[in-house]
Amino acid sequence: MPVDLPSILLFLGRLLLGGAFVFAGLRNILNAAFLTGLMAARGMPQARLALWAGIVLQIIAGVLVMAGLWTALAGAVLVLFLIVATPMFHNFWDHQGPDRAARINGFVGNVALGGGFLTLIAQSL
């Protein structure tokens, strides 16, 4: 691996972006019962299956991004994941007060992650 600054920054960026999804996927395993109920309440068919599919996607695609393997594909998968998950879990329009503010922050954070993945995809093409 070259030791120039752009390569180091790209490596660190991949670690941070991919690592965030690996961490989230592992954390979601611990919260699977709660998240399944939340997804079912929001109208997700086969909520348990959808949750586990999402967890597997988060972890595998996150590891691929971290490793720099199939980066464009893994980034695209995570962008699609964000498109589905963000309105489901960060539905700020249904909340008021501090809960609304927290959900807006989560929504904006996920939009920023999507931007980071689009940048990574563009770099890897």
Side-chain angles (χ1 to χ4, degrees):
M1 171 186 199
V3 234
D4 59 299
L5 184 58
S7 295
I8 292 169
L9 294 174
L10 181 60
F11 174 72
L12 292 174
R14 284 195 335 259
L15 284 180
L16 293 171
L17 278 170
F21 280 84
V22 172
F23 174 78
L26 295 173
R27 188 187 66 209
N28 289 343
I29 291 170
L30 299 175
N31 297 314
F34 171 75
L35 293 171
T36 299
L38 183 66
M39 291 170 68
R42 303 267 308 152
M44 173 63 72
Q46 299 292 321
R48 186 169 194 268
L49 178 62
L51 174 69
W52 285 100
I55 288 170
V56 168
L57 278 175
Q58 284 179 295
I59 294 171
I60 291 175
V63 167
L64 289 172
V65 167
M66 291 173 71
L69 301 171
W70 299 320
T71 309
L73 177 61
V77 165
L78 289 171
V79 167
L80 292 174
F81 173 86
L82 287 168
I83 289 170
V84 173
T86 299
M88 182 177 303
F89 292 104
H90 301 291
N91 56 327
F92 61 87
W93 50 89
D94 289 335
H95 299 271
Q96 297 299 317
D99 193 37
R100 179 182 176 98
R103 289 177 189 260
I104 288 172
N105 289 340
F107 191 96
V108 171
N110 279 6
V111 169
L113 283 169
F117 281 116
L118 292 176
T119 302
L120 185 65
I121 292 166
Q123 182 278 327
S124 66
L125 295 177

